[in-house]
Amino acid sequence: MGKNLKGITIEIGGDTTQLNKALESVNQKTKSLTGELKGVNSLLKMDPGNVTLLVQKQDILNGAIGETKKKLETLKEAQNQVQEQFDKGEITEEQYRDFQREIVATEKKLESLTDELKE
C-alpha cells in the first residue's frame, strides 16, 4: 500500500514532502510486524497453548495497531490538502481515487487488527 500515492505532495508539521515518503517508515514497520505475526501464527497452529507465543502475538498486534493508527492519522491529516490539490487540478482523478482507497484500506486493516487482538 502507499505505492499508488506517487505525485501527491503534502505538508506535515511545516515540512513539505511526498505523501509516499511520509508513509514509508510506517509502511516498513507494518510490513515487518506482519511478517513476524505470520511466523507466530504459524507456530501457534502447531502449539496453540504456548503462552510465550500468545504474548508475542499480542505484542506484535499492539505494535501493528499503533503503526496503522499512525498511518491513518497521517492520511487523515493530508486529506484536506489532497482534496484542494484535486480541486485545483494539481493531481489526477486517479491519484485522488488512489488516496481515497488508501484511507479505506487502512481503516479496514486497523479494524481487522483490532478484531484479531480481541480474539
Side-chain angles (χ1 to χ4, degrees):
M1 287 187 216
K3 61 183 171 218
N4 296 326
L5 301 178
K6 291 182 180 175
I8 298 176
T9 304
I10 59 165
E11 184 176 321
I12 297 177
D15 294 330
T16 302
T17 186
Q18 293 288 332
L19 181 55
N20 58 336
K21 288 191 187 243
L23 297 173
E24 188 175 337
S25 169
V26 172
N27 285 338
Q28 285 176 346
K29 288 178 186 173
T30 302
K31 184 177 179 180
S32 173
L33 289 169
T34 300
E36 194 174 348
L37 184 60
K38 284 180 183 178
V40 170
N41 281 336
S42 174
L43 292 172
L44 279 170
K45 285 180 183 177
M46 291 183 271
D47 186 7
N50 188 309
V51 176
T52 302
L53 292 174
L54 291 170
V55 170
Q56 286 181 8
K57 181 176 180 174
Q58 186 176 11
D59 290 344
I60 294 166
L61 283 170
N62 281 325
I65 288 169
E67 292 300 318
T68 305
K69 282 181 179 178
K70 284 182 197 175
K71 180 177 181 177
L72 188 57
E73 288 170 9
T74 301
L75 290 169
K76 293 282 186 173
E77 186 177 329
Q79 192 167 18
N80 288 338
Q81 294 176 53
V82 172
Q83 180 67 51
E84 288 174 14
Q85 289 176 26
F86 178 67
D87 291 343
K88 292 178 184 176
E90 296 172 357
I91 61 172
T92 66
E93 188 172 344
E94 182 180 355
Q95 289 172 309
Y96 180 74
R97 287 192 309 257
D98 285 343
F99 177 79
Q100 295 300 323
R101 283 192 299 270
E102 190 72 20
I103 290 176
V104 171
T106 304
E107 288 172 338
K108 292 297 178 190
K109 178 70 173 175
L110 181 59
E111 185 180 310
S112 170
L113 290 168
T114 304
D115 289 346
E116 190 172 350
L117 183 62
K118 287 178 184 176
E119 293 175 11

